[in-house]
Amino acid sequence: MTTAQNPVSYVAPTDLLKPEPAPVSDRGAYGWARAHLFGSVGQVLLTLFGILVVLAVVPPMVRFFITDAVFIGTNREACLPETVGRPVGACWPFIAAKWNQILYGFYPADERWRVNVVYGLGVVLLIPLLIPRAPYKRTNALAFFGIYPLISFVLLTGGDLDMRSFVLGWIGLDFGVTASANGLRLTFWLQFLVVTLLAMASGMALAPVFGGERRAVALGILKAFAVVGIVMLAMDFDFGLPQVETRQWGGLLVTLVIAVTGIVASLPLGILLALGRRSELPLVKYSSIIFIEFWRGVPLITVLFFATYMLPLFLPGRFTIDGLLRALVGVALFASAYMAEVVRGGLQAIPKGQYEGAMAVGLRSGLMMRLVILPQALKLVIPGIVNNFIGLFKDTTLVLIVSIFDLLGILRASFTDPAWATPTTLFTGFGFAGLVYFVFCYGMSRYSMALERRLDRNQRH
Amino acid sequence: MVHSFKRILLAAGVLALGVGAAGAATLDDVKARGALNCGVSQGLPGFSNPDDKGNWTGLDVDFCRAIAAAIFNDASKVKYSPLSAKDRFTALQSGAIDVLSRNTTWTMSRDTTLGFNFVGVMYYDGQGFMVRKSLNLKSVNELNGASICVQTGTTNELNVGDYFRTNNLKYELIAFATIDETIKAYDSGRCDAFTSDQSQLYAVRLKLTNASDHVVLPEVISKEPLGPVVRHGDDQWFDLVKWSYFALVDAEELGVNSKNVDQMVSSPNPEIKRLLGSDGKFGEAIGLPVDWVARMVKQVGNYGEIFDRNLGPNTPLAIDRGLNKLWNKGGLQYGMPVR
């Protein structure tokens, strides 16, 4: 500030030199091209090569998928060169005709609204979960990971599992009651009640041995059984929905069910396995190692094949597990073994000082992992985790070999429909499938990059 | 270690057989379940493939629908298991399906050592040749010196060699790893002829740039009798499936079809009366009501109708009936008499 009493000794002249714009060779489109496309002889060659590749690939694809393509029609006639009178590219009416199968497989037409509800609910719950700023994260996560799978299960299968015996029934104690209402059997729920009470009683009896408080232990057991009971009640209750066997599921529905189950199950399982592998308890450590190495050592096809065709031979009598469920369990265990190694990589990257610091402030090992180590380790391995997710999403196509018709499987079956057999049906179908897989995988990839940037904001080196 | 593993496998095998044998009364199981479990292919044009509405259609599918019509008077009470060539037999052995209606070639080893019974031949297939119409060929024997496209590693490849050598014909085989590559090569003119099983040739023809420029030669050079299969150990079920097939063929021979079956019930022809149950109680011998054939024909049609609907001249496949004509029309389809 200058005043008359305290004149400053120097005032900068106001007529400073105006900044010159950067030389023409460094700015604008020309400058950018010079810097990025034609900076050196090597770059020039690479650029030319790139342009050639684009010219060789893009125009034929545009011609096949758009310019020469047929968009309207009701059967193969519409896509034949004889009918159209010119070379024909993609036969899009084929995709339109098979659209319902692509989305729902062989799901009965009258029941497809159930799949739509599951799709819609999934989107509604997932989007706010993925947006960092959206509120109510805890409630949202509980809804998506806890309640949504239950609703989906009941909607997609029809629920009404007709559960008959719970623990006691297996040893012949079924109280001899046959009454049932709304799909719920009295004997099952009597057994459940008795088991709950027994568990609470034994919990109270044993609590002092382990230094717990009787009331708290009993209450904890009651809560656990209540949650299990509510889940079973929902699955057992007859909501009046017709049953739809999983063999009728197909298309995108199956692809998403397998991929989402695999993704959601593999992360927590993988974290547990990774922690187990680094545990100092030999039993935990070696069982984790054996599990991981076994599942990483066999191909997914073998796992699926074994689960589908060999397992029934070993199971007693007429005891069967649903085919899709077997594939789901196989995929989840397989993916978790891979996930475990990714997470272990993250754990190893955390400096020892972090562990020591956490211990120094008095954290027990569980809290140390939860509050200090895992948040850092998981952040480090986001690319690896998402890599696994993407791989898993694409691996779901392998279920075709065990007669589960996923998106690709349903398209392959549709290729054999004589009403749509044309020279280009096959390429149209595969082109479309490729597009669908790309949309999902690229979406996951972009989201993980955004997530990395957000979590990395204060730590960029 | 090896021994113990073998023992486990053996035990598993015995267990599987035990399970199969335990469900001996297949018809009772089917009735209790309320649906027929039918093994079909994962997609073979005209034999079993999903249509636009997601329903399985085709010759093999219609046979299962006919059995369901005979048992339940409702052709829709079928649950389809689309099976790959590898696991079709496991599925039948383990009892996962009641009948395998999946273009399976009737061979001695399958009929005997695998523990199956073939009920008949739904479709007489055989290896044939497709050529361009412009070549003006009438017979395989005019293919002397031709180049022939074939998928490698198939019996088709071996059959061509055998046949051409036996008949002193010159030929050049051009083999490809997959069927789609083979089609493409033939379509682009790399070979004069394309060989495969005839049923497949007709399906392949639809994928060529100009389907009507190609023709399937009438002769076949190998025997591929395709038929439905059931497990050993339940003769009543075997009879039921076998006679369902015979009855469909008999119905065509006697002129009973889905449109006239209601009038035909009162026909004076004794053969028709026996077939449709207005004379005698033949259905009861296989555990079905007397009108079992009428139910099948009414809902699914006779053999000829089934063939025409799925493979016939009005379908894109337009397969020539050839060997699958009735015996009295120059073919091999011969239904044993209901009497």
Side-chain angles (χ1 to χ4, degrees), chain B:
Chain B
M1 188 63 206
V2 172
H3 284 288
S4 65
F5 183 64
K6 265 190 188 160
R7 216 172 296 153
I8 290 173
L9 275 186
L10 199 67
V14 170
L15 199 71
L17 286 178
V19 172
T26 313
L27 180 59
D28 295 340
D29 289 351
V30 171
K31 279 181 175 162
R33 196 189 305 129
L36 174 77
N37 282 340
C38 169
V40 295
S41 81
Q42 291 179 328
L44 186 73
F47 288 84
S48 50
N49 63 266
D51 68 3
D52 286 355
K53 293 191 193 69
N55 300 318
W56 286 93
T57 58
L59 185 84
D60 288 343
V61 169
D62 276 349
F63 183 61
C64 283
R65 292 179 63 234
I67 299 174
I71 298 174
F72 300 111
N73 198 13
D74 183 352
S76 67
K77 290 196 170 166
V78 186
K79 288 183 182 170
Y80 300 100
S81 294
L83 299 166
S84 71
K86 283 193 298 287
D87 24 274
R88 54 182 161 181
F89 297 126
T90 324
L92 187 58
Q93 269 161 343
S94 69
I97 53 174
D98 304 312
V99 54
L100 177 69
S101 182
R102 188 200 177 284
N103 58 293
T104 305
T105 305
W106 189 344
T107 65
M108 181 165 173
S109 59
R110 285 174 179 173
D111 204 354
T112 55
T113 51
L114 280 185
F116 297 136
N117 280 325
F118 280 80
V119 303
V121 181
M122 273 301 278
Y123 184 86
Y124 288 95
D125 205 352
Q127 187 176 343
F129 293 84
M130 177 162 59
V131 293
R132 286 181 177 70
K133 261 187 192 155
S134 54
L135 289 179
N136 255 327
L137 296 178
K138 292 279 174 297
S139 153
V140 179
N141 294 325
E142 296 170 19
L143 276 175
N144 197 5
S147 55
I148 298 165
C149 276
V150 66
Q151 190 184 350
T152 189
T154 57
T155 48
N156 298 140
E157 195 181 3
L158 306 173
N159 290 341
V160 172
D162 290 351
Y163 183 83
F164 277 68
R165 268 194 300 276
T166 323
N167 291 289
N168 275 325
L169 298 170
K170 284 205 203 83
Y171 69 102
E172 185 196 357
L173 269 190
I174 306 180
F176 298 89
T178 68
I179 186 74
D180 286 315
E181 278 176 82
T182 324
I183 297 171
K184 213 164 165 240
Y186 171 72
D187 201 16
S188 66
R190 278 191 62 187
C191 354
D192 304 316
F194 180 102
T195 187
S196 178
D197 288 349
Q198 270 201 340
S199 59
Q200 194 173 25
L201 286 181
Y202 285 97
V204 163
R205 190 167 64 158
L206 297 180
K207 295 184 181 172
L208 299 176
T209 324
N210 234 331
S212 49
D213 288 353
H214 303 266
V215 62
V216 175
L217 296 177
E219 298 118 316
V220 290
I221 63 165
S222 73
K223 291 194 282 189
E224 302 284 343
L226 309 179
V229 195
V230 295
R231 274 185 300 279
H232 270 179
D234 185 354
D235 285 349
Q236 190 208 16
W237 181 247
F238 177 38
D239 287 344
L240 188 154
V241 179
K242 182 169 60 183
W243 280 95
S244 299
Y245 158 66
F246 287 149
L248 290 174
V249 178
D250 284 333
E252 187 190 3
E253 189 185 330
L254 297 171
V256 179
N257 60 40
S258 56
K259 292 185 192 67
N260 67 11
V261 62
D262 287 334
Q263 291 87 53
M264 282 294 197
V265 173
S266 45
S267 155
N269 181 334
E271 282 183 276
I272 296 179
K273 282 171 95 169
R274 284 194 293 269
L275 185 71
L276 297 182
S278 35
D279 180 15
K281 294 184 172 173
F282 293 97
E284 288 176 1
I286 51 173
L288 294 178
V290 288
D291 63 339
W292 61 295
V293 182
R295 290 172 166 192
M296 288 199 292
V297 174
K298 182 149 195 203
Q299 296 189 27
V300 189
N302 63 35
Y303 179 83
E305 286 180 286
I306 292 175
F307 191 100
D308 284 346
R309 176 164 59 238
N310 298 302
L311 309 169
N314 293 327
T315 66
L317 286 167
I319 295 185
D320 183 52
R321 256 185 91 167
L323 290 175
N324 295 293
K325 288 192 190 108
L326 289 181
W327 61 281
N328 53 8
K329 300 220 172 97
L332 292 173
Q333 288 296 349
Y334 186 104
M336 308 306 153
V338 174
R339 186 168 73 214

Side-chain angles (χ1 to χ4, degrees), chain A residues 82 98 101 245 309 403 420, chain B residues 51-52 54 79 82 87 210:
Chain A
E82 296 127 270
K98 303 292 178 188
Q101 283 175 71
E245 287 179 274
Y309 296 112
S403 295
W420 284 103
Chain B
D51 68 3
D52 286 355
K79 288 183 182 170
D87 24 274
N210 234 331

Side-chain angles (χ1 to χ4, degrees), chain A residues 144-313:
Chain A
F144 186 75
F145 294 106
I147 301 170
Y148 177 61
L150 196 58
I151 295 178
S152 304
F153 176 85
V154 172
L155 274 176
L156 292 179
T157 61
D160 191 12
L161 279 189
D162 194 26
M163 292 189 273
R164 285 153 190 269
S165 52
F166 185 78
V167 185
L168 298 179
W170 302 336
I171 50 171
L173 255 177
D174 60 0
F175 303 107
V177 281
T178 51
S180 67
N182 283 341
L184 306 177
R185 284 171 187 272
L186 184 58
T187 165
F188 177 84
W189 292 99
L190 269 179
Q191 290 173 35
F192 183 71
L193 195 69
V194 172
V195 172
T196 310
L197 292 176
L198 281 177
M200 281 171 70
S202 45
M204 283 173 84
L206 290 175
V209 182
F210 297 102
E213 200 210 327
R214 284 173 196 272
R215 259 182 75 91
V217 169
L219 213 62
I221 292 176
L222 183 65
K223 274 183 190 164
F225 271 88
V227 170
V228 173
I230 290 171
V231 169
M232 288 198 300
L233 186 68
M235 296 202 290
D236 199 18
F237 191 79
D238 183 3
F239 290 95
L241 296 169
Q243 303 267 325
V244 179
E245 287 179 274
T246 55
R247 75 163 101 191
Q248 290 176 285
W249 302 16
L252 193 62
L253 172 65
V254 158
T255 297
L256 288 179
V257 165
I258 297 175
V260 171
T261 313
I263 285 171
V264 171
S266 70
L267 190 57
L269 276 177
I271 293 174
L272 284 182
L273 284 167
L275 293 176
R277 192 165 184 166
R278 286 166 62 88
S279 162
E280 279 159 13
L281 308 169
L283 188 70
V284 175
K285 177 173 179 167
Y286 287 106
S287 41
S288 299
I289 292 181
I290 289 172
F291 181 93
I292 293 171
E293 296 304 333
F294 172 77
W295 287 97
R296 283 205 309 167
V298 288
L300 184 54
I301 288 196
T302 316
V303 173
L304 293 173
F305 208 81
F306 194 90
T308 307
Y309 296 112
M310 297 296 286
L311 208 57
L313 292 178

Side-chain angles (χ1 to χ4, degrees), chain A residues 45-55:
Chain A
L45 286 178
L46 276 179
T47 302
L48 289 179
F49 179 71
I51 291 174
L52 278 181
V53 169
V54 169
L55 281 182

Side-chain angles (χ1 to χ4, degrees), chain A residues 38-167:
Chain A
F38 304 105
S40 66
V41 178
Q43 257 190 17
V44 171
L45 286 178
L46 276 179
T47 302
L48 289 179
F49 179 71
I51 291 174
L52 278 181
V53 169
V54 169
L55 281 182
V57 173
V58 174
M61 277 181 70
V62 171
R63 210 178 308 135
F64 182 85
F65 286 113
I66 299 168
T67 329
D68 280 356
V70 172
F71 291 93
I72 305 163
T74 50
N75 56 29
R76 65 185 290 270
E77 295 291 329
C79 299
L80 292 178
E82 296 127 270
T83 334
V84 185
R86 60 172 167 84
V88 169
C91 179
W92 294 117
F94 165 72
I95 298 294
K98 303 292 178 188
W99 185 248
N100 280 332
Q101 283 175 71
I102 290 170
L103 283 186
Y104 312 105
F106 302 113
Y107 214 87
D110 292 343
E111 306 298 325
R112 283 180 188 153
W113 63 271
R114 283 150 60 173
V115 184
N116 287 335
V117 171
V118 170
Y119 280 152
L121 205 56
V123 171
V124 167
L125 288 175
L126 187 62
I127 286 180
L129 199 60
L130 294 181
I131 297 174
R133 263 167 303 163
Y136 306 115
K137 273 282 175 298
R138 269 186 97 89
T139 325
N140 197 337
L142 182 72
F144 186 75
F145 294 106
I147 301 170
Y148 177 61
L150 196 58
I151 295 178
S152 304
F153 176 85
V154 172
L155 274 176
L156 292 179
T157 61
D160 191 12
L161 279 189
D162 194 26
M163 292 189 273
R164 285 153 190 269
S165 52
F166 185 78
V167 185

